[in-house]
Amino acid sequence: MKREQKAKATNEFNQVVMGNSLSKDAWRRLRKNKMAVISVVIVAIYMLLAITAPILPIYSYDEIVNEHQNLLPSLTKTSGELMWDKKLSDLYTQAWRQNRLTVTDAENEILEAWVLKGQATKVWDYLLEEGNRQLAEGSFEWSAAEKRTLDNLEKKIASDIQITIQKVWQTNQETGKKINISKMAVKDLVQLYADLLGVPTEPIVTQYTYEITESVSKEIQAEVTDLSKEEYALMAEQRLSDMSGKDYDKLIKANIIAKINSTVKDMALYELKSDASQASTTYPFDKEMSITDTVSASIKAAKMHDRRYYLGTDRLGRDLMSRIIYGSQVSIAIGLIGTFTSVLIGVILGSLAGYIGGKVDYFIMRVVDIMYGLPYMLLVIIAMAIFGRNILNLFFALAIISWLTISRMVRGQIMSLKNQEFIEAARSMGASTGRIIFKHLVPNSLSVIIVFSTLRIPSFIMTESFLSFLGLGVQAPFASWGSLVGDAVGGMTLYPWRLFFPAIVMTIFLFAMNFLGDGLRDAFDPQSKNQL
Amino acid sequence: MAEATTTRQPLLTVTDLKQHFPIESGFILKRQIGAVRAVDGISFSVYPGETLGIVGESGCGKSTTIRSIAQLYKPTAGKVMFNGLDLVNASKDELLKARKDIQLIFQDPYASLNPRMTVRQIISEPLTIYSNRKMLQPEMTKEEIETRIEELMERVGLNKAFKNRYPHEFSGGQRQRIGIARALALNPKIILADEPVSALDVSIQSQILNLLNDLQKDLGLTYLFIAHDLAVIEYISTRVAVMYLGIIVELSESRDLYHNPLHPYTKALLSAAPIPDPAIERKRKRIILTGDVPSPIKEHKGCYFYERCPMRMEHCATNIPPLHQVSEGHEVACWLYE
Ligand SMILES: Nc1ncnc2c1ncn2[C@@H]1O[C@H](COP(=O)(O)OP(=O)(O)OP(=O)(O)O)[C@@H](O)[C@H]1O
Ligand SMILES: [Mg+2]
């Protein structure tokens, strides 16, 4: 609505008189519906988390930490402690198998029964407790090899650090001025890198030339297939010589900066590692370190095994919580964008069919009928196969197929409205077809459209999840609720949390959306309310 | 008045207007198997400043007549001349220009206002449409439209403080006033009113009728006014046309029709209307029509009223009586007066 339509009207006492629109009434009724209000709050929280994901204090969703695979969810323990426990229970179990860790016959029976039922986690938990008790009592001792393993692990947990290079500077020795390397000229950069490595510049130049040519020809290979090696090389050369000096410099710069960063990282890591054994630094930190006399860097570092995973980790050691949050982003976006596009297409085509009628109606409705007849899932799968599997195509495939129901519904609604007198009134005033559809007909079917869309979002999410579950939807490293559940099914018995958390998050959202849809329907149509 | 109407140029002339709604059957290849002859050839003129009333039973084609005149339906045949322009064959632009001068008031005050619009949006809609098309003379600014809305609301007796309210927050009579304000917005020459008071209760009816009367006097409006209530028609009309099954059976000065009805159908209609004086009411002889109203699908060879006419003659069964003048300004379609 345009602002100018909100002109104030005042009565004789100079009080503003505002009308109560039907949607305002509906909103008031919705607010009385407790379930709907709770649902609105839940949906709002989800949306907020999904939108703010990049600035939330969570780990990256695609960072793989090999040592942290399948860690249990824990609110209190760090990943190091969890790793330690895991190792201990591994060793205790081994010892129990080798009969070095002795338990009573009754306990043995129970443990064996668990093993038979495949409940390995129970065995581990039990033996961890039992082993720790016996170790404290002195009735069990580690072998020398085991001791060594544990010592190594302890050292590793204490010293493993993870660092990220944020900025690298070079200090000019004469002026004492610091220059960010991303702002340096190519020549200086190459020189700096050579100095860092302690080699002459020529081999570096040969290396980056080779690497850039290689990456360009890779690019070409991705674009055109079925050429001979010589042709590729020729095309790559062509493209490089076509490039302006500036663009080529950019490529060199990116190449060298990446190399400098990784060299600086290695050097900093080395320094910090030797520090860590002396325990002179506290982690995590974010500070400037000098790497050589002239080079310094701003570095973020944290102890690798101080990380906490409140919802555990997945098969590759990625933080499940951040994967779920980023997965929500994808799933909710698909639900919203898919619904939006399908409602847009459906409303436009449905209202045209309903209002104009005749041949237009006949044609549109036959298309709808035919598309209804085609197997929905198959179409999506075929579309994904043709256009490639990425998120955008998934949106697209879902949207072009799911406008059918809404267009039928809108058509029916419009047909029942178009013979109303207020439409005749508009026509007699010379209103155009577009105006009648979008100012009169669509606003009057809005309640149906809104309710339908709300109930449509969960079904979109379900479809997307189903496709992702089958491996046709979102591709790694991206996540969606469906792909998370799909990934987790494999280790369902050993690592139930990997399945449980995404599933529960998804379920809550779908419930909320459905309650909200029902609430909206009741709110828009007070007569239809099913009273208990 | 009688001389005046004959010498003046008519504002609206309808000639042999027919509106048939085809009845189709068949799945893909539609075949027309008949037609509802809602309006089956009517002719009349409306003169500036007068009110032509149309009465008739339910389903006799009154609303359809108005809708075909307003070109909401494409007429099957006939001519509608308005201000020298044939609306039936007019181009889109000509029609748009003419529409500015022809406005409608509808029967159902609940269905004729868009429930999602505020009163000011409803009343300003015709202004907005024509101003968007740059066809408003003179052009109006947003503020001028705003003042026009308030002016119109006051003119029809609505409190302008309510302009941001929605139709469902008003009573039936108030809603009909909104409809009238909307019809007045473009300063039309003629207003086609389709039973504007039949959905209201009696006390409100007279208020609305008085309002329409006042507006006519002040703004020099011309009305084509439909009603099935004879009292209402008598009150408001200068001339009256009586419709039966899609044709006009009698057309006369209002006073003349009530004192001297000629057509048997008009007589029956008048005798069925209650008279507020119990003495006369008791003594009066009623004409009870036998039989049902024939289906509008039927094609007639003779008089349309033949089946139910108490005075039918053999001649009537096979010959359609034309509408012809019996006395000054009094036309009737009946063989009795030939
Ligand atoms: N769009 C249409 N399609 C088919 N038949 C129609 C259509 N509109 C009206 N009719 C038929 O035309 C005839 C006349 O209808 P119309 O609405 O003009 O009657 P009316 O005189 O206004 O009656 P009422 O006093 O009840 O309003 C009726 O038989 C009706 O069924
Ligand atoms: Mg009618």
Side-chain angles (χ1 to χ4, degrees):
Chain A
M1 292 282 137
K2 283 182 229 132
R3 172 128 45 90
E4 118 272 337
Q5 287 174 338
K6 280 197 187 131
K8 293 257 164 32
T10 50
N11 64 10
E12 47 275 60
F13 305 110
N14 233 17
Q15 290 167 312
V16 178
V17 180
M18 283 305 293
N20 273 320
S21 71
L22 295 182
S23 24
K24 223 177 187 175
D25 275 354
W27 175 237
R28 202 169 33 226
R29 275 195 294 274
L30 186 70
R31 271 197 319 227
K32 283 201 202 120
N33 183 339
K34 266 203 205 89
M35 282 314 283
V37 172
I38 295 173
S39 303
V40 169
V41 172
I42 290 177
V43 170
I45 292 174
Y46 270 78
M47 301 263 181
L48 203 71
L49 281 178
I51 291 168
T52 56
I55 55 165
L56 287 180
I58 52 175
Y59 302 117
S60 153
Y61 68 97
D62 57 355
E63 189 182 354
I64 297 173
V65 183
N66 281 325
E67 290 100 342
H68 292 178
Q69 288 168 6
N70 300 324
L71 287 186
L72 268 169
S74 164
L75 292 176
T76 48
K77 290 183 177 167
T78 64
S79 52
E81 287 163 333
L82 288 172
M83 277 166 72
W84 181 251
D85 284 352
K86 205 166 154 191
K87 191 79 206 169
L88 280 185
S89 65
D90 253 12
L91 292 178
Y92 284 133
T93 312
Q94 243 176 53
W96 172 63
R97 285 270 173 239
Q98 294 162 356
N99 282 332
R100 289 192 295 119
L101 181 71
T102 47
V103 291
T104 61
D105 285 347
E107 283 174 325
N108 245 334
E109 229 165 78
I110 297 170
L111 287 171
E112 289 294 356
W114 280 340
V115 172
L116 278 181
K117 278 193 230 155
Q119 293 169 327
T121 40
K122 279 191 182 164
V123 180
W124 292 334
D125 288 349
Y126 188 84
L127 285 175
L128 177 64
E129 210 171 296
E130 181 67 16
N132 279 340
R133 192 181 61 78
Q134 293 198 15
L135 196 67
E137 261 180 14
S139 57
F140 173 77
E141 269 187 18
W142 294 119
S143 70
E146 284 167 346
K147 239 196 176 113
R148 236 185 348 263
T149 319
L150 287 173
D151 278 350
N152 279 341
L153 184 64
E154 197 172 2
K155 230 181 259 161
K156 189 172 167 52
I157 290 173
S159 66
D160 268 2
I161 43 181
Q162 185 192 27
I163 68 174
T164 33
I165 308 291
Q166 288 176 306
K167 262 182 210 150
V168 181
W169 295 284
Q170 187 185 29
T171 322
N172 190 316
Q173 262 155 341
E174 280 123 52
T175 58
K177 235 184 176 176
K178 286 203 306 187
I179 315 171
N180 193 329
I181 58 162
S182 62
K183 298 211 175 80
M184 279 166 70
V186 173
K187 217 176 109 233
D188 298 339
L189 261 180
V190 175
Q191 187 61 48
L192 172 69
Y193 185 49
D195 288 351
L196 265 180
L197 295 186
V199 292
T201 50
E202 290 83 49
I204 293 172
V205 173
T206 1
Q207 195 190 0
Y208 75 62
T209 318
Y210 172 76
E211 279 173 9
I212 288 173
T213 319
E214 198 71 346
S215 81
V216 168
S217 64
K218 273 235 181 71
E219 232 172 71
I220 294 170
Q221 274 171 38
E223 286 163 22
V224 272
T225 42
D226 298 333
L227 291 182
S228 71
K229 253 198 181 130
E230 291 77 36
E231 283 170 309
Y232 277 130
L234 217 66
M235 280 179 76
E237 215 166 286
Q238 184 66 32
R239 191 171 287 196
L240 282 173
S241 63
D242 282 352
M243 232 180 253
S244 66
K246 227 181 186 177
D247 285 344
Y248 192 61
D249 278 1
K250 250 188 217 153
L251 286 182
I252 301 173
K253 242 171 131 171
N255 184 298
I256 299 287
I257 288 178
K259 280 181 186 155
I260 292 178
N261 274 346
S262 85
T263 314
V264 167
K265 190 172 172 180
D266 284 347
M267 292 166 88
L269 202 58
Y270 180 78
E271 207 161 301
L272 286 172
K273 266 223 169 118
S274 54
D275 262 16
S277 47
Q278 294 149 20
S280 58
T281 350
T282 48
Y283 291 93
F285 71 77
D286 182 357
K287 67 175 183 191
E288 211 183 310
M289 270 173 74
S290 60
I291 306 296
T292 62
D293 297 345
T294 55
V295 178
S296 59
S298 127
I299 285 172
K300 242 188 188 167
K303 277 227 172 119
M304 185 75 107
H305 306 291
D306 269 353
R307 289 169 153 240
R308 286 169 190 274
Y309 301 112
Y310 299 112
L311 300 185
T313 60
D314 73 354
R315 174 169 55 87
L316 295 175
R318 293 174 291 201
D319 181 15
L320 198 58
M321 185 166 78
S322 90
R323 280 186 79 68
I324 290 176
I325 291 176
Y326 277 92
S328 310
Q329 213 176 30
V330 170
S331 286
I332 294 175
I334 287 189
L336 291 183
I337 297 176
T339 304
F340 180 77
T341 16
S342 73
V343 165
L344 200 70
I345 301 175
V347 166
I348 290 175
L349 291 181
S351 49
L352 283 178
Y355 182 67
I356 298 175
K359 291 219 168 70
V360 177
D361 180 33
Y362 189 83
F363 181 73
I364 293 178
M365 282 304 118
R366 289 306 81 75
V367 171
V368 170
D369 287 344
I370 291 168
M371 287 186 77
Y372 251 121
L374 300 174
Y376 174 81
M377 264 305 157
L378 199 67
L379 278 187
V380 174
I381 291 170
I382 289 172
M384 296 294 291
I386 293 174
F387 300 115
R389 301 184 201 164
N390 66 39
I391 302 179
L392 224 76
N393 288 339
L394 186 62
F395 286 149
F396 180 69
L398 288 179
I400 54 167
I401 285 161
S402 52
W403 57 272
L404 305 174
T405 318
I406 179 104
S407 77
R408 265 195 184 172
M409 231 177 52
V410 170
R411 171 177 173 263
Q413 193 73 19
I414 299 266
M415 275 167 58
S416 75
L417 281 172
K418 78 167 174 185
N419 289 322
Q420 297 254 342
E421 280 183 351
F422 69 87
I423 301 299
E424 289 198 322
R427 288 210 293 144
S428 76
M429 286 182 283
S432 60
T433 305
R435 185 182 176 91
I436 290 177
I437 291 181
F438 292 107
K439 280 255 148 107
H440 293 278
L441 292 173
V442 172
N444 276 288
S445 3
L446 212 56
S447 58
V448 183
I449 295 173
I450 289 175
V451 170
F452 179 82
S453 318
T454 323
L455 293 173
R456 190 79 212 170
I457 292 172
S459 86
F460 257 109
I461 292 176
M462 290 291 276
T463 312
E464 184 277 330
S465 299
F466 176 62
L467 287 172
S468 296
F469 184 85
L470 292 182
L472 280 166
V474 174
Q475 299 297 303
F478 299 109
S480 78
W481 291 334
S483 72
L484 288 173
V485 170
D487 287 348
V489 166
M492 205 160 73
T493 44
L494 286 182
Y495 318 111
W497 65 90
R498 279 174 29 194
L499 180 64
F500 179 75
F501 290 119
I504 200 83
V505 164
M506 179 168 165
T507 312
I508 290 173
F509 186 77
L510 297 188
F511 261 120
M513 276 324 275
N514 278 314
F515 276 119
L516 184 59
D518 283 347
L520 280 172
R521 180 168 46 211
D522 290 345
F524 279 120
D525 189 2
Q527 276 102 16
S528 84
K529 191 160 174 72
N530 272 331
Q531 238 109 29
L532 282 178
Chain B
M1 182 83 82
E3 303 96 286
T5 51
T6 44
T7 50
R8 266 186 295 172
Q9 278 289 317
L11 180 64
L12 175 77
T13 309
V14 175
T15 320
D16 205 21
L17 182 71
K18 284 187 185 166
Q19 183 72 59
H20 294 179
F21 297 108
I23 305 170
E24 288 170 335
S25 90
F27 175 53
I28 293 173
L29 298 166
K30 293 256 162 65
R31 209 154 36 83
Q32 187 177 337
I33 56 166
V36 178
R37 303 163 151 267
V39 177
D40 207 10
I42 60 173
S43 308
F44 59 85
S45 298
V46 187
Y47 294 90
E50 76 163 346
T51 300
L52 177 67
I54 299 182
V55 267
E57 287 170 278
S58 184
C60 71
K62 305 180 298 286
S63 301
T64 309
T65 306
I66 274 202
R67 283 170 167 74
S68 334
I69 291 173
Q71 303 302 310
L72 293 176
Y73 300 139
K74 181 122 198 66
T76 316
K79 259 209 236 166
V80 178
M81 296 294 291
F82 176 76
N83 243 354
L85 176 75
D86 181 9
L87 298 182
V88 179
N89 300 310
S91 72
K92 244 182 160 179
D93 272 359
E94 287 173 327
L95 191 59
L96 260 175
K97 243 176 241 156
R99 281 211 155 121
K100 238 177 82 179
D101 293 330
I102 308 173
Q103 291 291 311
L104 273 75
I105 301 176
F106 292 89
Q107 175 171 10
D108 183 350
Y110 290 87
S112 60
L113 307 176
N114 185 343
R116 302 260 161 202
M117 284 185 164
T118 59
V119 172
R120 53 185 298 284
Q121 285 171 323
I122 291 171
I123 298 177
S124 67
E125 187 167 30
L127 294 168
T128 321
I129 289 171
Y130 278 88
S131 132
N132 285 348
R133 291 181 194 271
K134 306 253 174 296
M135 284 171 74
L136 216 54
Q137 271 140 9
E139 292 282 325
M140 286 171 100
T141 61
K142 292 249 158 66
E143 292 74 43
E144 281 167 350
I145 291 182
E146 205 59 45
T147 30
R148 175 96 180 117
I149 295 167
E150 293 182 356
E151 192 185 295
L152 283 165
M153 288 184 75
E154 308 227 297
R155 188 69 199 76
V156 298
L158 287 168
N159 185 342
K160 69 178 177 192
F162 294 158
K163 68 177 174 180
N164 285 334
R165 288 208 177 167
Y166 290 82
H168 64 100
E169 299 173 285
F170 290 93
S171 72
Q174 285 173 319
R175 288 161 147 258
Q176 201 55 287
R177 286 171 197 268
I178 299 170
I180 293 170
R182 171 174 66 184
L184 292 177
L186 287 169
N187 276 324
K189 293 204 170 75
I190 187 167
I191 287 185
L192 314 179
D194 184 358
E195 308 198 32
V197 294
S198 65
L200 307 174
D201 64 63
V202 183
S203 60
I204 315 273
Q205 276 190 4
S206 55
Q207 286 176 14
I208 297 288
L209 289 173
N210 284 334
L211 172 66
L212 287 172
N213 254 342
D214 292 347
L215 289 169
Q216 183 168 38
K217 259 184 233 138
D218 297 350
L219 306 172
L221 291 169
T222 307
Y223 291 141
L224 179 61
F225 193 102
I226 288 182
H228 56 238
D229 184 337
L230 287 161
V232 167
I233 282 288
E234 185 181 10
Y235 176 77
I236 196 139
S237 322
T238 358
R239 290 190 303 141
V240 180
V242 181
M243 271 187 88
Y244 181 74
L245 271 187
I247 56 161
I248 293 181
V249 294
E250 191 165 358
L251 179 66
S252 113
E253 295 288 329
S254 172
R255 181 113 40 83
D256 212 9
L257 185 88
Y258 281 86
H259 290 116
N260 181 24
L262 296 178
H263 199 281
Y265 177 65
T266 317
K267 285 181 183 165
L269 213 56
L270 283 173
S271 84
I275 296 172
D277 185 339
I280 308 174
E281 173 75 47
R282 231 172 287 129
K283 265 188 272 164
R284 162 168 90 127
K285 195 173 82 206
R286 288 200 177 213
I287 305 168
I288 310 289
L289 291 178
T290 52
D292 293 328
V293 184
S295 151
I297 300 168
K298 192 182 153 196
E299 213 168 324
H300 294 265
K301 290 204 179 59
C303 179
Y304 282 54
F305 191 51
Y306 179 75
E307 290 91 337
R308 301 169 76 195
C309 184
M311 340 239 314
R312 63 179 160 233
M313 306 176 291
E314 239 172 76
H315 185 63
C316 304
T318 46
N319 297 289
I320 301 175
L323 196 63
H324 67 269
Q325 189 142 336
V326 176
S327 60
E328 180 66 49
H330 198 148
E331 296 169 60
V332 67
C334 181
W335 291 122
L336 286 174
Y337 304 96
E338 201 60 5

